[in-house]
Amino acid sequence: MKTNPHFYPVILAGGRGTRFWPLSRKRRAKQLLALDGKHTMIQQTVARLAPMAAPSRFWIITNDDLRPAILRQLPKLHPKRIIAEPAGRNTAPAIGLAAFLLLRHDPEAVLGLFPSDHVIADPAQYRATLAKGIEIASAGENIVVLGIRPSRPETGYGYIEAGAHDHDGSLRVRRFTEKPDLGVARQFLDAGNYFWNSGMFLWRADTLANALREHLPNTAPLLEKIAAAYGTRKFAETFRKLYPKCENISIDYAVLEPRSAKGEAQSRIFCLPSDFGWNDLGSWTALHEHHVAKAKRGGGSLVPTSGRFTLNAQNNYVHVLDKFVALLGVSNLVIVETEDALLITTLDQSQDVGKVVKHLDEKKLHKLV
Amino acid sequence: MKTNPHFYPVILAGGRGTRFWPLSRKRRAKQLLALDGKHTMIQQTVARLAPMAAPSRFWIITNDDLRPAILRQLPKLHPKRIIAEPAGRNTAPAIGLAAFLLLRHDPEAVLGLFPSDHVIADPAQYRATLAKGIEIASAGENIVVLGIRPSRPETGYGYIEAGAHDHDGSLRVRRFTEKPDLGVARQFLDAGNYFWNSGMFLWRADTLANALREHLPNTAPLLEKIAAAYGTRKFAETFRKLYPKCENISIDYAVLEPRSAKGEAQSRIFCLPSDFGWNDLGSWTALHEHHVAKAKRGGGSLVPTSGRFTLNAQNNYVHVLDKFVALLGVSNLVIVETEDALLITTLDQSQDVGKVVKHLDEKKLHKLV
């Protein structure tokens, strides 16, 4: 495919993914798990972007807990571009740092910001959408956000309200909204001009840098100093000292929402309606449904290879390795076992798994988190 | 306590106890498990009879799969009196063999027949009841059966219908009944003269031997030949050749039911109403209820020592070792884990666990049974 020599994928991989406990742990977060196929989520993220950018152009922002495993899982990437934040400061400083780093390196840089733990069913369609987005973002002070066409009244995501059509199939963004309640989510679904905020953005490094200088005037200079130290012996110390002073805020709150408040004509934020089988796999239940759908399409097996016996048991998600599993008279359960833990919950309640991790944190049961 | 020098406990320990899979296995049947306290069911059975008979007077009828573990668990018993049947032939031949063996040894012998896997809450009361039963049994051609006063309309047990009162608080037995349906079980409970058949019997060896000669005329001579070879070099071979030729039948069908058909005045079968906290722990659910009741009485802890977190989760039976268990939004489950298997069922359906074992047998998954 035609590639853009100024395109740099920046993968945000600092998340803890507690909703996949007990499989996910502090040092083995969701993005490092092979939840869907042989390769881990972050390996799949890199693999589907690989046709668009050479390995040396990838940047990963993560933390010290996860960096060693990421280095192991992605040996072709440039280790110095796998950056461990000294403290979590949400997405705005992470993305901003990437922008300032790239700006010193390539003034024409276009950043693609990607979560590290999502599933994309149709990578070719995904890359075609991205190519279009890169074109729009390259053209000037545009911010491109990939909006997922909603298929259900989901209350777990933020939504993008789109306005007028613009060039190349994109839509002007009118507004970013918080997670809606079910009634509002239904209205959004019916309205037809609302999209799920995928967390995938494209913009030029200089556009992003300027946005940060405007919206985070205290944080932007800190990030510039850190970027200036990159590649020198002072980098680690500078990073450790200054980064924790950055504002702890998401890019949505810091930049996108205030920017969109300028009105759809002024904000220069574009939504690219996307339809490439996106799934954020936000819980065991989402993973189960993904596997069921895939199996229905003939795209893979539902169950791992260990033996199983079921009687009056339907629609259970079972992640148990090397063990015979017998299910009698139980349905809609989530059953996940590791060497040191066993989780049993329901498909309805699996989003509460983070509460187990909170409990373990509080009880200082460090080995289990 | 006053003991009878002719009393011999005969413990039937050949059962497989598949309803406690995956904990119970072919070589680790229910009676070899510590389901209720530190000691195994068979160790508890022997311990509560120990004040009534010296270790050398115990006999155990089991099979080759279980004998090695029984020898390890009960090192004080006489190894030659732990007898492994070459083939399972139900209770009549097992009990009959014990009678013929004891008869050669002590013509005055009184056998106490005991299942090896039941719980008795009040051992002192139990021994007092047995002492009374031994007295009745010693007196002549009497058969004494311990009848449990029913506390619920249980459909899983056989019942004893009692008739006239007799000496020492015992009742004449009118009839043995099959497992009733719920309506009939309710009638039995209301009637007041029905008792659960505990499977515990007392009778003189010569009474039993004569009963077998009368009711199992083909089997009795085989058992006499086996008993005659006991202690000689020919025993193993004789046992292996003749025992499989014995009729495969329970003592209830073979002797008690036809005998009781003679009428309560003639049959000389006596029911000793018993109230010593008997529980046959017939399923994971029964075990769970037993533990809950015990915990309510302050008699012990419900949960094992490994960590646990629950949220909207009630009344679950969890047998998981060395693992943190998190339960969210699940209730009335039975969860049992071993190194190679995981069972999840409901309190309502745990009696079907035997079907898992049947499946494993059919699939020749020998390691799991």
Side-chain angles (χ1 to χ4, degrees):
Chain A
M1 71 187 300
K2 189 175 149 249
T3 60
N4 182 317
H6 300 290
F7 172 60
Y8 300 85
V10 176
I11 296 170
L12 300 179
R16 201 170 156 191
T18 58
R19 282 180 294 184
F20 283 92
W21 185 90
L23 207 58
S24 65
R25 301 294 171 96
K26 215 167 186 158
R27 289 182 177 74
R28 195 179 63 200
K30 179 188 164 198
Q31 56 271 29
L32 301 177
L33 301 176
L35 294 176
D36 181 43
K38 280 183 198 168
H39 298 289
T40 67
M41 306 308 288
I42 197 168
Q43 285 175 328
Q44 291 185 28
T45 302
V46 169
R48 70 179 157 251
L49 288 164
M52 304 187 75
S56 65
R57 282 205 269 144
F58 281 78
W59 290 74
I60 293 181
I61 316 287
T62 184
N63 59 45
D64 281 321
D65 285 328
L66 302 174
R67 190 171 182 273
I70 292 175
L71 283 166
R72 280 195 302 275
Q73 291 196 1
L74 296 166
K76 287 185 185 170
L77 301 198
H78 197 317
K80 287 216 165 169
R81 292 180 187 165
I82 298 176
I83 292 180
E85 298 172 303
R89 281 294 173 270
N90 212 326
T91 51
I95 290 169
L97 178 61
F100 286 114
L101 284 167
L102 279 166
L103 207 51
R104 295 176 63 86
H105 180 80
D106 176 356
E108 304 285 307
V110 176
L111 275 77
L113 288 162
F114 302 100
S116 55
D117 57 357
H118 294 176
V119 154
I120 306 287
D122 185 346
Q125 180 63 32
Y126 166 78
R127 287 186 290 266
T129 307
L130 285 180
K132 196 188 289 181
I134 292 167
E135 216 171 289
I136 300 169
S138 306
E141 292 182 24
N142 298 330
I143 302 174
V144 178
V145 49
L146 271 57
I148 311 295
R149 214 178 285 283
S151 55
R152 59 182 188 271
E154 172 67 51
T155 59
Y157 304 146
Y159 282 70
I160 301 160
E161 182 186 351
H165 279 270
D166 209 273
H167 51 311
D168 241 357
S170 73
L171 303 160
R172 292 273 177 171
V173 169
R174 194 175 285 163
R175 199 164 58 97
F176 290 88
T177 73
E178 305 274 325
K179 294 174 185 175
D181 64 28
L182 188 62
V184 172
R186 286 202 180 112
Q187 288 171 25
F188 287 177
L189 187 63
D190 292 342
N193 65 325
Y194 285 81
F195 297 85
W196 292 336
N197 184 345
S198 68
M200 293 186 272
F201 304 100
L202 296 156
W203 43 20
R204 286 173 56 108
D206 53 5
T207 302
L208 181 47
N210 288 335
L212 284 164
R213 287 182 189 119
E214 179 186 345
H215 296 289
L216 293 179
N218 296 321
T219 291
L222 298 170
L223 296 172
E224 284 199 76
K225 279 182 197 160
I226 297 166
Y230 180 78
T232 75
R233 289 188 307 176
K234 284 197 168 175
F235 176 66
E237 195 196 336
T238 309
F239 199 15
R240 200 180 63 241
K241 278 191 175 166
L242 299 187
Y243 197 76
K245 294 180 180 168
C246 293
E247 210 169 324
N248 193 346
I249 190 168
S250 75
I251 194 74
D252 299 65
Y253 271 110
V255 174
L256 299 173
E257 293 186 15
R259 173 69 67 98
S260 70
K262 293 181 180 180
E264 70 178 85
Q266 309 302 320
S267 70
R268 306 197 63 81
I269 311 182
F270 299 89
C271 172
L272 209 49
S274 302
D275 196 10
F276 39 64
W278 174 86
N279 192 327
D280 76 335
L281 296 185
S283 65
W284 286 116
T285 302
L287 180 62
H288 173 65
E289 286 165 358
H290 174 67
H291 285 181
V292 170
K294 227 170 140 179
K296 273 186 190 156
R297 292 194 308 267
S301 162
L302 254 184
V303 293
T305 49
S306 58
R308 196 176 301 190
F309 174 79
T310 58
L311 182 69
N312 302 332
Q314 284 94 34
N315 202 30
N316 294 292
Y317 178 81
V318 180
H319 186 107
V320 174
L321 299 172
D322 302 325
K323 214 163 259 198
F324 188 89
V325 179
L327 305 176
L328 284 87
V330 293
S331 292
N332 305 312
L333 292 185
V334 171
I335 300 154
V336 183
E337 197 216 22
T338 62
E339 275 197 11
D340 55 2
L342 174 65
L343 164 74
I344 301 183
T345 183
T346 64
L347 292 173
D348 282 345
Q349 203 147 357
S350 81
Q351 78 282 359
D352 284 339
V353 169
K355 291 181 185 171
V356 183
V357 180
K358 192 162 169 276
H359 167 85
L360 296 170
D361 277 341
E362 284 167 8
K363 294 279 174 190
K364 300 197 191 306
L365 294 165
H366 302 302
K367 283 188 181 171
L368 290 163
V369 297
Chain B
M1 72 185 298
K2 190 176 150 250
T3 59
N4 183 317
H6 299 289
F7 171 60
Y8 298 84
V10 176
I11 297 170
L12 300 179
R16 200 169 155 190
T18 58
R19 281 180 296 183
F20 284 93
W21 186 90
L23 208 57
S24 64
R25 300 295 171 95
K26 215 167 185 158
R27 290 182 175 74
R28 195 178 64 200
K30 179 188 164 198
Q31 55 271 31
L32 300 177
L33 301 176
L35 294 175
D36 183 42
K38 280 183 198 167
H39 298 290
T40 67
M41 307 308 288
I42 197 169
Q43 285 175 328
Q44 291 184 30
T45 302
V46 170
R48 68 179 159 252
L49 289 164
M52 303 186 75
S56 65
R57 281 204 272 144
F58 280 78
W59 290 75
I60 294 181
I61 316 288
T62 184
N63 60 45
D64 281 322
D65 285 327
L66 301 174
R67 190 171 182 273
I70 291 175
L71 284 167
R72 280 195 302 275
Q73 291 194 2
L74 296 166
K76 288 186 184 168
L77 301 198
H78 197 316
K80 287 216 166 168
R81 294 181 186 165
I82 299 176
I83 291 179
E85 297 172 303
R89 280 295 173 266
N90 211 327
T91 51
I95 290 169
L97 178 61
F100 287 114
L101 284 166
L102 279 165
L103 207 51
R104 295 176 61 86
H105 179 79
D106 177 358
E108 304 286 307
V110 176
L111 275 78
L113 288 162
F114 303 99
S116 54
D117 56 356
H118 293 176
V119 154
I120 306 288
D122 186 346
Q125 180 63 32
Y126 166 78
R127 286 186 292 264
T129 306
L130 285 180
K132 197 189 288 180
I134 291 168
E135 216 170 291
I136 299 170
S138 305
E141 292 182 26
N142 299 330
I143 301 175
V144 178
V145 49
L146 271 57
I148 311 294
R149 212 178 285 283
S151 54
R152 59 181 188 273
E154 172 67 51
T155 59
Y157 304 145
Y159 283 71
I160 302 161
E161 182 186 349
H165 279 271
D166 209 89
H167 51 314
D168 241 357
S170 74
L171 302 162
R172 293 272 176 172
V173 169
R174 193 174 285 162
R175 198 164 59 98
F176 289 87
T177 73
E178 305 272 327
K179 295 173 185 176
D181 65 27
L182 187 62
V184 172
R186 284 202 181 113
Q187 287 171 25
F188 288 177
L189 186 64
D190 292 343
N193 66 325
Y194 284 81
F195 297 86
W196 293 336
N197 184 345
S198 68
M200 293 187 272
F201 303 99
L202 297 156
W203 43 21
R204 285 174 57 109
D206 52 7
T207 302
L208 181 45
N210 288 335
L212 284 165
R213 288 183 188 117
E214 178 185 346
H215 295 289
L216 293 179
N218 297 321
T219 291
L222 299 170
L223 296 173
E224 284 198 78
K225 279 182 197 158
I226 297 166
Y230 181 77
T232 74
R233 288 188 307 176
K234 284 197 168 176
F235 176 66
E237 196 195 336
T238 309
F239 198 16
R240 201 181 61 242
K241 279 192 177 166
L242 299 187
Y243 197 76
K245 295 180 181 169
C246 293
E247 208 169 325
N248 192 346
I249 190 167
S250 74
I251 193 75
D252 300 66
Y253 271 109
V255 174
L256 298 172
E257 294 187 14
R259 172 70 66 101
S260 69
K262 295 182 178 179
E264 69 177 85
Q266 309 302 319
S267 71
R268 305 198 63 82
I269 310 182
F270 298 90
C271 172
L272 207 49
S274 302
D275 195 10
F276 38 64
W278 174 87
N279 192 327
D280 76 335
L281 297 185
S283 66
W284 285 116
T285 302
L287 180 63
H288 173 64
E289 286 164 359
H290 175 67
H291 285 181
V292 170
K294 227 170 141 180
K296 273 187 190 156
R297 293 194 307 266
S301 161
L302 254 182
V303 294
T305 49
S306 58
R308 195 176 302 191
F309 174 79
T310 58
L311 182 69
N312 302 331
Q314 283 94 34
N315 201 31
N316 295 292
Y317 179 80
V318 180
H319 186 106
V320 175
L321 298 172
D322 302 326
K323 214 162 259 198
F324 188 90
V325 179
L327 306 176
L328 284 85
V330 293
S331 292
N332 306 313
L333 293 185
V334 171
I335 300 153
V336 183
E337 197 216 24
T338 62
E339 273 197 13
D340 56 1
L342 174 65
L343 164 73
I344 301 184
T345 183
T346 64
L347 291 173
D348 282 346
Q349 204 148 355
S350 80
Q351 78 281 0
D352 284 338
V353 169
K355 291 181 184 170
V356 183
V357 180
K358 192 161 168 277
H359 168 85
L360 296 170
D361 277 341
E362 284 167 9
K363 295 281 173 189
K364 300 196 192 306
L365 294 166
H366 302 302
K367 283 188 181 172
L368 289 163
V369 298

